[in-house]
Amino acid sequence: PRLDKVPRSSSIMRSKGFCWLANSHRAATYWSHAGKSFELTVFGSWWATLPRSLWPPDLVETILIDFDHRDHDEDKNSDNTSVGDRRQSLVLIGVGLQNEQQD
């Protein structure tokens, strides 16, 4: 669920996933929360920031599934119409949450 839609009566016990932070368009950040512990760590680079020549050839089609446009080119994207594979992808686990997926 969207964080602004989580009922106040619910209790988020765990959350995890990947996020794109405004201060870095290169770094894919891993979000991890359990109880009172919270951590954000740089996981690596978004695939969109790497030249396709560095992508594993046998994984290109799998990588492109996460792209907003298959023809995304970081160097030619001056108008920011495409973000490649950058995204927010978080899972919230807790009591009183409804099971629904947001795109």
Side-chain angles (χ1 to χ4, degrees):
R2 289 180 28 179
L3 291 177
D4 62 342
K5 302 291 184 188
V6 175
R8 294 192 190 277
S9 62
S10 69
S11 176
I12 299 174
M13 300 166 65
R14 174 103 169 89
S15 59
K16 62 182 181 175
F18 296 96
C19 53
W20 172 25
L21 301 179
N23 67 346
S24 176
H25 293 295
R26 296 196 68 75
T29 306
Y30 183 70
W31 164 305
S32 178
H33 150 253
K36 294 181 180 181
S37 174
F38 178 76
E39 182 179 20
L40 282 176
T41 56
V42 174
F43 185 73
S45 299
W46 296 107
W47 286 110
T49 66
L50 301 174
R52 290 194 185 193
S53 61
L54 296 179
W55 294 6
D58 55 329
L59 295 179
V60 171
E61 289 303 314
T62 303
I63 292 168
L64 286 172
I65 290 171
D66 288 333
F67 274 59
D68 57 347
H69 296 288
R70 287 181 62 87
D71 58 348
H72 174 87
D73 186 331
E74 200 73 6
D75 296 328
K76 297 178 185 176
N77 191 34
S78 60
D79 59 358
N80 296 320
T81 56
S82 173
V83 296
D85 60 330
R86 297 175 185 96
R87 64 190 177 282
Q88 316 300 345
S89 182
L90 298 174
V91 174
L92 305 177
I93 303 164
V95 178
L97 298 176
Q98 294 183 10
N99 185 11
E100 72 179 71
Q101 182 177 353
Q102 298 289 323
D103 291 325

